[in-house]
Structures are given as C-alpha cells and as structure tokens.
Amino acid sequence: MSEKTRNRSERWHCGARRVCPKCIISNLLTSVFLVEGSGALAQQLTRNSFSMTVGQTLRREGDPFQGLILIRKGVLKTFMISEDGGEQIIDFRFPGELVGLSAMGTGEHMACTIALSAADVCLIRAEDLDDLCNTYPDVRRRLLELTAREVARREHLHQALCGTRAECRLAMALLNIAERLGVATVDHAISFQLPMARVDLAAYLGLTPETTSRQLRRWESHGWLHTRGRDFTIREPDVLHALASRHSSDEEGVHRLARGDSECQWSPDSGLGTDELAVNRR
Amino acid sequence: MSEKTRNRSERWHCGARRVCPKCIISNLLTSVFLVEGSGALAQQLTRNSFSMTVGQTLRREGDPFQGLILIRKGVLKTFMISEDGGEQIIDFRFPGELVGLSAMGTGEHMACTIALSAADVCLIRAEDLDDLCNTYPDVRRRLLELTAREVARREHLHQALCGTRAECRLAMALLNIAERLGVATVDHAISFQLPMARVDLAAYLGLTPETTSRQLRRWESHGWLHTRGRDFTIREPDVLHALASRHSSDEEGVHRLARGDSECQWSPDSGLGTDELAVNRR
DNA sequence: ATATGGGCTTGATTTATATCAAAGAGTCAT
DNA sequence: ATGACTCTTTGATATAAATCAAGCCCATAT
C-alpha cells in the first residue's frame, strides 16, 4: 500500500477501501433496523465496540441481559453444556446478525457464546436500544419483526432436525452457512471457509463428527463437493439442494440429477432451489 | 342443573360457575399482555371469537398474517407437510397461549394449524393489536418479550431434540404437556388427557409412533407411568424428570432413583426437578 | 529437523431406532 | 349388536448412525 493511499485511508472516509467503524455500524444499524440517519447514535455505539479473539467468551449461561450484540466481523457460536460436559450448539451467528434476542424475554441468557474467529462486535446496550426505539418509532416494530423471524427460522430448523437424515441436515447446513456468509456463486460453484470445527457443526446438527466426515467424503467421491481442511467448495449446488430438500426416501431424484457424476451439464436453474433454512435475513 | 342456577348463569356474571366470554378474554388479555383494564377492547375482541371443531383448519401454509390467535379452550397443532406427505409437527398450542407469532416477521404463515380438540379461540386482528399497542405502550414491549421467550423456548427444544435419545425426548414432552395443560400434582402423581394422537406426538419429537409406544410400555412395566388410551398418569414424576434431564449415558442416576420399582419412598424433592421445556410461560 | 497436539479421517463393531407387517383395542355409524 | 373405521400395540427385521479405536494430517513450538 502506498504512503499516499494509507494517508487517505487513515482519514476514515466512508465508502473507500477502508471505512470508519462508525460508518460501518451506521450502515449495519440501517440495514438491520431499516432506519435512516442513525449516525449520531452510531457514534455513541462506536464506544461500545470491541474485538474478540478466537475462543474468547462473550457471555456465559446465567449472565443478565445487557443488550444486543451486532456482529461486524467474525462468527460466534452459542451453546449449552449438557451434564456430561458435551456442548450442544444452539446456533452460529454471522456478520450483520444480532446476538441475544432470546434473552430479551427473561432478561437472562441461557446459553454461552464464544467467538469462533477473530471478531469485531458492537454492544447495543438495552438503554441505547430503548433510546433508539423512542427516536425511531419503527425500530421497536422492526425489532419485533426480527425476533419473529428468528422464531420462524427456528421452526424451520425444528423440521430440518426432526424429519431428516444426516445427509440432508448436513446439506442444509452447508448451504445455509454459505448463504449467511454471503458468498457468491462463481462458475456454478460455491466456495467458502467453514467458520467452525466439524465437531461444532456436528453438534449443531445432532450428529457425531465421524458421521459428518463420512458424509462429506462420500460427496467428495461423487465430485459434488471438495474440501481441504476448512476450505469448502460446493461443486454441485443443485445436487446439494436436492439432498437438502429430500425429507425421506427419494434416492431417485438425486441420482437423476447427478447422472454423469463428476461433471454434469443440466440447465443451471432446474427448479430445485429451495432455501430451507434461509429465513433469517431479508 | 336447577332452573334457578341456569337463570343466574345466563346472566354471564363474572367469577361465578359460568363466566362470560368477554370476561374470560379480558382476563386472558390481562394475563397475556400484563395490562389492566383492557375491558373495552375485550368487548371488541369478543366479536372475533369463534369455536373450532376437531380437525378444523385454522389456516394453511402461505396464508397471510391476519393477527394473533389467543386460545381460550382446546389444543391446536401446527405442522408442515414434507414432500412425502408426512406431517412434521412444529408445535402444539395450549389454552392461554398465542398462535401466529412467527408470522409477524414475514407477514405470511409457513405452517398449517388445525384444532386437535373442540376449541374456542379469539382472533386479535393485526389492526386491533396495533390499537392495543398504542393504548397501552407496555403492550408492544410485552409482545416483544413474549416473542423473545418463544425464541428461547425453541432454543431449548433444539437442545432437547438434537442431544438426546427417544426416551429422554418423550419424558420431556410429557412433562411439558402436563405443565402447559396446567394440571396439578395430586398425591405425587400427575394425571392428564393427552390432547394429541401418538403419531402427532411422535412426529413432534422426530420419532415413529412405534418407538413412542414401546417406550411408554416400558415405563408402564416399571410402574412409572400408566396409560389407558389418552388418559395418562405419571406415577413417578421424579423418575421422568430424571430421564428428561439425562442427556446421554447415565443409567446410574435413574435406577438409583427408581430403586424399589413400583412404589418407592424417597424424599419428594430429590433435586431432580429440572424444567427443561418450561420456558414459554411466566 | 523433530516433536507435540488438535482436528480430521477411516475402519470395525454395536446399538438405537426405523421399517415392515399384522394383530388388537377402542369408537362410530349402520 | 355388527361391521368399518382409526389408533395403538407388538413382533421380526433392517439400517442409519453412534461408539470405540487407531492412524493421519497439519500447524505450531521446541
């Protein structure tokens, strides 16, 4: 980076290569709460921003509700500890998403939340949230809407986890993660970095890491997917979608779709694009 | 019933043997939304009350959000249809509970809801809900709180469904149902009428009716439970609680508790009373 | 380079639960 | 009552996924 460019970027001007935290938060707030001109408040919120290192704990079970966390960068997981010491992953949270909605009801968190990667987050304190609601009357409505969407998303998840087999759950999860990461489809393939360890992914889906691994390798042998460590490439999104929407025995459909194995040439939009879990964002 | 009594009851006076629908709704509104004096609105809402027969459909997937349903009497189920035609039960709703929260986000229901028994329900239309929110500022806050609680409840459910075996899920479900029905514990035993068919209960938990049946019979053979058709009696709530909170291998605890089989005499509060799923009510 | 350790894969085996099939019990209508 | 339902139980079998147990890969530290 040239000296000149760096100088410019240090002025934190918005819209450039590097943007100021205030602007990022303002933009996020705007996109999350759908209100314009929350700049002043954003400035205030900037003071509540902080970074997290890998594995750092945001909060534990039983902690009181302090406010919502807006994720600017990084991925978090929230989980409960079962008595045998195992972690039951409740959810992963991605950039642009809010953490802590469920604690608004009781005023107490019932799960632990930690960072899976280096993360930048911003605490919207309960008081500030109230201010925001008062300044912009639509915010409370919007907050209710977001929470309701969360309920809807979890209802879909219920269906996904109860009604389906490992293969199907895993396909759903991968597609959902890719979507929430906001990765683009290039050349009919989706590449992304899996933000969590496989144990976590497995625990989230109610599976063991072994089953997860086997499933992935099977897909790899079909050429539908390629993994190298945490680098994932979904080579055949359509096949994965088909697997994800397959609720029980329907070997037919998938293999009809996958005929020709490694490199197939069906029309790009085969009408199979159900987005099962993709309900939490607008 | 004597002529005199009937006359009295026909005057619908509150607090007596029979109470007027308006008062019930008013009381429900008060207890649900935690506001006093919603009598006037209750009167308006009474006009939106109606009864449902067994199996009657309240709404289908894709129907637009009209408003919230407050259940006065009866039990409803909401479910999605998977492509193989099977029903995936998302949830059961009991008297005093609201139906439709999840549709507030998208404005569209993504599941079908039908009555499992004869039911009396009351539609709180979206517009009336807005009125209510404007008249009583706390109502919107309360509504948000209720929705957040719903998220929390579903998060617990995720843990329950993912991390546990059939036995555990079933124990949880029965205890949860008993609690939501509001049945009392008499003589250290809990009796209630199961509001749904076993297929439904099984589908809710991601099990088959066969597994459910076998599990129940096993408990019956231990004397922990008695069923006759839909009449359930939990004879040993403590044992069931222990089973429900047991997330993996812990044969120990349960059998320590159940020593003596049919009729045991441990102290009533053995510290095992976790209320896993009991998060939705206050 | 060589060790060390965590996460991932792989194989052999077990187990819980689904599936298939059929018989019993309860309920309703004729 | 009798038959025609639906719902539930029960048994035999199949299967998906868990468990147990190494071994492998890769990154980091020595």
Side-chain angles (χ1 to χ4, degrees), chain B residues 72-262:
Chain B
R72 214 199 299 170
K73 181 168 102 34
V75 178
L76 311 192
K77 72 170 173 182
T78 97
F79 60 94
M80 299 173 177
I81 310 271
S82 46
E83 31 218 57
D84 61 343
E87 292 181 3
Q88 172 57 57
I89 310 285
I90 299 299
D91 214 347
F92 304 108
R93 320 290 335 202
F94 294 82
E97 298 180 353
L98 292 171
V99 186
L101 288 176
S102 68
M104 289 188 303
T106 55
E108 186 178 309
H109 294 281
M110 24 155 259
C112 195
T113 302
I114 75 171
L116 290 170
S117 55
D120 294 342
V121 303
C122 165
L123 170 67
I124 308 174
R125 290 187 304 147
E127 308 90 272
D128 292 347
L129 195 60
D130 270 341
D131 288 355
L132 194 58
C133 287
N134 295 332
T135 314
Y136 307 95
D138 280 342
V139 167
R140 199 181 292 282
R141 202 183 315 277
R142 171 65 177 162
L143 194 55
L144 180 59
E145 185 190 319
L146 286 170
T147 313
R149 274 174 193 276
E150 185 68 11
V151 176
R153 195 173 69 87
R154 296 214 79 91
E155 289 182 355
H156 270 291
L157 203 53
H158 181 152
Q159 177 186 43
L161 294 173
C162 272
T164 69
R165 305 182 292 137
E167 189 181 43
C168 176
R169 293 184 216 173
L170 193 54
M172 279 188 190
L174 289 186
L175 291 167
N176 182 243
I177 288 167
E179 176 170 345
R180 289 165 82 182
L181 281 173
V183 300
T185 303
V186 288
D187 248 352
H188 198 236
I190 305 173
S191 293
F192 58 95
Q193 274 236 94
L194 195 71
M196 71 288 294
R198 281 165 217 209
V199 219
D200 288 340
L201 185 58
Y204 177 59
L205 299 171
L207 303 171
T208 55
E210 291 96 328
T211 305
T212 306
S213 176
R214 275 184 254 269
Q215 208 58 251
L216 291 176
R217 217 199 69 97
R218 184 187 307 178
W219 290 345
E220 188 135 18
S221 77
H222 284 278
W224 300 340
L225 179 87
H226 176 72
T227 71
R228 182 154 192 86
R230 289 194 180 179
D231 295 326
F232 276 61
T233 302
I234 300 176
R235 289 203 204 283
E236 304 294 352
D238 296 327
V239 177
L240 270 269
H241 269 120
L243 289 169
S245 58
R246 196 159 61 100
H247 282 194
S248 60
S249 51
D250 175 26
E251 212 71 18
E252 251 328 275
V254 175
H255 282 102
R256 199 180 326 114
L257 195 60
R259 200 169 297 142
D261 246 10
S262 179

Side-chain angles (χ1 to χ4, degrees), chain A residues 5 7-20 23:
Chain A
T5 314
N7 260 348
R8 260 221 325 238
S9 68
E10 272 167 359
R11 277 162 47 220
W12 294 121
H13 57 113
C14 298
R17 224 158 287 176
R18 299 176 70 183
V19 287
C20 70
C23 296

Side-chain angles (χ1 to χ4, degrees), chain B residues 262-282:
Chain B
S262 179
E263 286 297 348
C264 320
Q265 61 282 9
W266 357 277
S267 81
D269 54 323
S270 33
L272 282 143
T274 66
D275 39 34
E276 286 300 328
L277 299 177
V279 221
N280 66 316
R281 285 169 125 198
R282 25 173 311 128

